[in-house]
């Protein structure tokens, strides 16, 4: 751990944060110029909470790729004999761009998207050179269909040991490259010179303030997802009650500091403008659990149903592959009475639930031998209308049966949108379940109570995608100030294609690091003149 002394030195590059975007920026900065710049990372969290939200992730990175020929040279968990049993569809740049625009209603910045998509695979290959141990994501992003691993949803790469592994790999590399990390060091203010260029950062450690001189600052301090007041202000009433899925330290301090210098806020600051998921209602409210991390996620709804406290369905659980719905269904849950919902499966549906999220030790389970009994037990957990619960499930089952009768050859396939639906010529539900509509009839039945877990906020700062420099309202760059990761606005609106956050932090972090190092080098040359 860095001692206070490092806060009394000047630095070539100061990076705020110690999450994936910050660590990637540091690796880029330190390898971009010769001699390497002196790089300091400051994070307000204690070392035990280092790694920001990155630590809590599944380590999933979305990249465009050309199928196995691109992926096999990157990953370390596929043996020769497994290669023939994998179906990995090509995920082209156009596919990634389309997904980005489709799920954001066409609002994602095309300029940012071009860089994100175009460099997505390259940044992953580059990070491999720093020791990131990439895996093909068998457990999260593939189903076994007829003896083959069938990948789906455009999200295929992860890191061994998920976010924990990612942050360890990156932190080790950053330290090996001579960067310094100062924990429990909160950035409180950006310092500027007479030209309005950033020339330092004020930080606070153990109650003492320090002014760090530097020509280049990269802000990777996250969004404001862990700040209930700001959530209520920007996302709307009720959002102060959401559970924080990851670090409790992303409270929007640097967004405010940059805005006070004239930085432009862009992107989705509208009500509910954030990434949020179905999350264990029994999880801690004000921040994640460092052991369980992502395991409170409850994303098994595509093979089941979600009912609110009034026993009504409120989303089409099968409208799209999970990677394109999970980040917006948190908002849908928050909008329900008391901000809760019950996920429901029968015996057949339960076999598709992933152990990581649904094993007995990780989530309180409500089990019953009949739907009536399940309704009574859910009633004790906050469901107010048990008879409606039975009616909702019965109506759903009737609609599934009618569809089956009309399509006797239709077969469940969770790796594609299989068209197994509740809508037939004989019967339609008011709210369809469009795919994977299997009957809920076989005991034992299972329900799990969920609430909303907020992941990160979508609105952020405007940047020049070329160098990740922060922009003012008039489009000019604030000299010496860059940002990456969650702080960047304009990419995500209303929804999000799973695995894009880490990739965005990688792409723009790499660009920010390079530009910051080059600026530091130039400013040294100028000093010598
Ligand atoms: C449970 C969970 C699962 C996720 N899974 C995935 C996934 O699999 N794939 C994916 O792409 N995305 C995932 N995400 C989203 C992903 O975590 C983010 O997109 C990404 O990690 C953001 O990186 P970042 O570096 O911008 O922020 P962070 O990693 O959150 O880092 C921000 C850091 O800044 C520090 N900080 C804040 N304010 C200050 C200050 N004033 N001074 C100093 N330091 C400060 C914080 O302490 C923190 O360490 C997940 C998020 C969560 C919570």
């Amino acid at each position: 751990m860095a001692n206070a002394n490092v806060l009394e030195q000047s630095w070539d590059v100061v990076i705020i944060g110690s999450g994936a975007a910050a660590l990637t920026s540091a690796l880029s900065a330190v390898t971009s110029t010769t001699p390497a710049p002196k790089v300091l990372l400051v994070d307000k969290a204690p070392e035990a909470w280092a790694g920001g939200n990155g630590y809590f992730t599944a380590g999933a990175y979305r990249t465009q790729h050309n199928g196995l020929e691109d992926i096999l040279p990157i990953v370390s968990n596929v043996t020769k004999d497994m290669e023939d049993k994998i179906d990995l569809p090509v995920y082209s740049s156009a596919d990634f761009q389309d997904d980005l625009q489709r799920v954001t209603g066409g609002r994602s910045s095309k300029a940012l998207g071009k860089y994100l998509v175009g460099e997505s695979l390259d940044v992953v290959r580059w990070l491999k050179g720093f020791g990131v141990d990439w895996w093909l994501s068998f457990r999260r992003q593939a189903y076994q269909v007829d003896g083959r691993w069938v990948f789906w949803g455009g999200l295929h790469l992860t890191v061994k040991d998920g976010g924990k592994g990612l942050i360890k790999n990156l932190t080790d590399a950053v330290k090996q490259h001579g960067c310094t990390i100062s924990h429990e060091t909160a950035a409180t203010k950006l310092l500027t010179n007479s030209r309005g260029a950033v020339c330092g950062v004020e930080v606070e450690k153990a109650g003492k303030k320090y002014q760090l001189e530097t020509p280049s600052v990269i802000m990777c301090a996250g969004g404001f997802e862990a700040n209930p007041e700001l959530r209520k202000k920007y996302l709307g009433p009720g959002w102060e009650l959401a559970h924080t899925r990851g670090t409790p330290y992303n409270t929007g301090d640097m967004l405010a500091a940059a805005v006070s210098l004239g930085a432009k806020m862009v992107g989705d600051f509208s009500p509910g403008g954030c990434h949020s998921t179905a999350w264990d209602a029994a999880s801690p409210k004000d921040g994640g659990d460092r052991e369980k991390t992502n395991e409170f996620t409850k994303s098994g709804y595509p093979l089941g149903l979600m009912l609110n406290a009034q026993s009504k369905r409120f989303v089409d659980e099968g409208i799209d592959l999970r990677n394109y719905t999970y980040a917006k269904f948190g908002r849908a849950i928050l909008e329900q009475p008391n901000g809760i919902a019950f996920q429901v499966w029968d015996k057949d549906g339960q076999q598709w639930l992933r152990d990581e999220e649904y094993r007995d030790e990780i989530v309180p389970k409500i089990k019953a031998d009949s739907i009536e009994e399940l309704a009574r037990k859910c009633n004790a957990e906050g469901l107010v209308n048990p008879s409606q619960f039975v009616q909702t499930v019965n109506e759903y089952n009737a609609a599934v049966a009618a569809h089956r009768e009309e399509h006797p050859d239709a077969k469940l396939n969770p790796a594609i949108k299989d068209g197994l639906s509740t809508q037939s010529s004989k019967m339609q539900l008011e709210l369809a379940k469009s795919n994977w509509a299997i009957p809920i009839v076989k005991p034992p039945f299972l329900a799990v109570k969920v609430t909303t877990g907020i992941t990160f906020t979508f609105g952020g700062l405007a940047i020049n995608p070329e160098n990740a420099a922060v922009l003012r309202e008039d489009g000019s760059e604030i000299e010496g100030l860059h940002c990456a990761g969650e702080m960047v606005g304009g990419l995500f609106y209303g929804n999000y294609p799973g695995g894009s956050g880490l990739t965005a932090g990688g792409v723009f972090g790499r660009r920010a690091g390079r530009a910051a190092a080059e600026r530091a080098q130039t400013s040294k040359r100028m000093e010598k003149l």
Side-chain angles (χ1 to χ4, degrees):
M1 182 152 115
N3 59 35
N5 198 20
V6 304
L7 303 180
E8 285 163 356
Q9 303 169 18
S10 58
W11 294 87
D12 295 326
V13 179
V14 172
I15 299 172
I16 303 170
S18 70
L23 296 166
T24 307
S25 302
L27 289 172
S28 171
V30 85
T31 54
S32 284
T33 58
T34 312
K38 248 179 90 188
V39 178
L40 173 71
L41 296 90
V42 295
D43 196 303
K44 80 182 196 197
E47 192 167 6
W49 281 81
N53 274 344
Y55 179 90
F56 291 85
T57 68
Y61 275 67
R62 179 172 292 256
T63 70
Q64 56 85 17
H65 63 75
N66 226 356
L68 280 178
E69 66 180 77
D70 275 344
I71 297 299
L72 287 180
I74 300 173
V75 297
S76 70
N77 66 333
V78 180
T79 55
K80 273 269 160 234
D81 57 325
M82 290 162 79
E83 288 178 17
D84 300 342
K85 299 188 187 85
I86 296 172
D87 290 334
L88 184 75
V90 169
Y91 188 63
S92 68
S93 295
D95 292 335
F96 194 167
Q97 286 283 11
D98 286 353
D99 281 338
L100 194 54
Q101 292 303 332
R102 180 172 59 84
V103 303
T104 60
R107 291 172 292 173
S108 177
S109 154
K110 294 203 172 55
L112 292 175
K114 193 174 123 211
Y115 286 78
L116 166 63
V117 172
E119 291 172 23
S120 55
L121 184 61
D122 191 52
V123 82
V124 156
R125 287 183 176 134
W126 175 76
L127 286 172
K128 184 178 168 70
F130 292 103
V132 175
D133 192 354
W134 297 107
W135 273 18
L136 195 51
S137 188
F138 286 97
R139 278 185 305 168
R140 300 182 68 84
Q141 298 296 328
Y143 288 108
Q144 277 197 291
V145 181
D146 300 331
R148 300 187 62 75
W149 287 101
V150 182
F151 282 81
W152 53 275
L155 177 51
H156 305 130
L157 284 173
T158 187
V159 179
K160 183 184 176 197
D161 295 334
K164 294 177 186 172
L166 171 71
I167 293 300
K168 179 168 182 351
N169 291 163
L170 292 175
T171 306
D172 287 351
V174 159
K175 289 181 178 166
Q176 277 157 19
H177 280 79
C179 304
T180 303
I181 307 180
S182 181
H183 301 283
E184 293 179 73
T185 307
T188 46
K189 200 170 160 186
L190 297 163
L191 308 172
T192 50
N193 63 20
S194 54
R195 290 195 334 272
V198 167
C199 60
V201 187
E202 182 180 272
V203 299
E204 194 173 322
K205 185 177 173 92
K208 197 168 164 197
K209 288 198 171 180
Y210 301 85
Q211 300 215 323
L212 297 170
E213 266 180 46
T214 179
S216 297
V217 174
I218 308 175
M219 300 180 297
C220 302
F224 56 88
E225 57 272 7
N227 185 330
E229 272 171 42
L230 286 187
R231 289 202 310 247
K232 193 172 171 185
K233 176 173 170 189
Y234 288 109
L235 308 182
W239 280 96
E240 71 279 13
L241 303 173
H243 290 210
T244 303
R245 294 179 71 205
T247 177
Y249 293 96
N250 288 358
T251 46
D253 325 337
M254 283 299 105
L255 282 176
V259 169
S260 75
L261 296 190
K264 183 178 180 181
M265 287 164 68
V266 289
D268 190 355
F269 281 97
S270 65
C274 66
H275 181 304
S276 62
T277 67
W279 193 244
D280 190 335
S283 64
K285 187 177 174 305
D286 296 324
D289 176 310
R290 298 281 291 182
E291 263 315 299
K292 294 172 179 148
T293 61
N294 200 30
E295 293 181 338
F296 290 127
T297 302
K298 296 291 161 263
S299 58
Y301 55 82
L303 274 298
L305 290 182
M306 282 206 281
L307 276 62
N308 66 16
Q310 303 283 357
S311 300
K312 293 282 179 77
R313 289 177 56 240
F314 53 96
V315 289
D316 177 344
E317 302 87 344
I319 186 84
D320 204 340
L321 294 162
R322 183 189 78 215
N323 292 344
Y324 304 112
T325 58
Y326 80 107
K328 64 175 180 177
F329 280 179
R331 180 171 65 243
I333 294 169
L334 190 111
E335 287 162 359
Q336 303 312 304
N338 301 328
I340 57 161
F342 293 86
Q343 298 182 335
V344 179
W345 305 266
D346 77 347
K347 186 176 180 214
D348 285 350
Q350 286 166 56
Q351 66 179 325
W352 296 98
L353 297 178
R354 292 187 319 108
D355 246 24
E356 276 159 86
E357 296 176 9
Y358 291 98
R359 65 186 189 280
D360 284 349
E361 315 84 72
I362 196 73
V363 62
K365 286 180 166 170
I366 306 166
K367 297 177 182 173
D369 288 325
S370 69
I371 290 295
E372 289 74 10
E373 186 192 355
L374 194 68
R376 277 197 302 279
K377 287 188 169 173
C378 288
N379 183 219
E381 300 295 332
L383 184 103
V384 291
N385 196 343
S387 58
Q388 176 64 49
F389 185 98
V390 176
Q391 192 181 326
T392 300
V393 175
N394 285 346
E395 278 170 12
Y396 165 79
N397 283 332
V400 170
H403 186 273
R404 286 280 163 105
E405 211 177 297
E406 211 166 287
H407 303 274
D409 298 330
K411 212 174 141 205
L412 175 70
N413 183 348
I416 55 166
K417 290 204 247 176
D418 64 5
L420 270 192
S421 116
T422 50
Q423 313 303 88
S424 61
S425 62
K426 286 210 192 91
M427 186 174 174
Q428 294 101 42
L429 294 184
E430 203 177 313
L431 177 57
K433 183 172 182 197
S434 301
N435 294 287
W436 318 297
I438 51 175
I440 299 187
V441 287
K442 269 193 211 161
F445 299 95
L446 170 67
V448 161
K449 184 177 171 181
V450 294
T451 186
T452 301
I454 181 165
T455 320
F456 66 93
T457 41
F458 287 154
L461 297 176
I463 60 162
N464 173 357
E466 189 58 31
N467 55 5
V470 176
L471 302 178
R472 295 190 181 84
E473 288 287 343
D474 65 5
S476 63
E477 292 180 7
I478 300 181
E479 264 182 81
L481 188 62
H482 306 261
C483 89
E486 291 175 4
M487 288 193 71
V488 173
L491 266 173
F492 310 120
Y493 290 77
N495 195 8
Y496 158 99
S500 306
L502 286 173
T503 308
V507 167
F508 295 112
R510 183 163 64 152
R511 284 188 166 269
R514 197 182 299 145
E518 282 165 5
R519 182 178 157 79
Q521 198 174 52
T522 311
S523 100
K524 271 189 186 157
R525 274 199 214 112
M526 303 288 279
E527 274 171 24
K528 282 188 191 148
L529 289 177

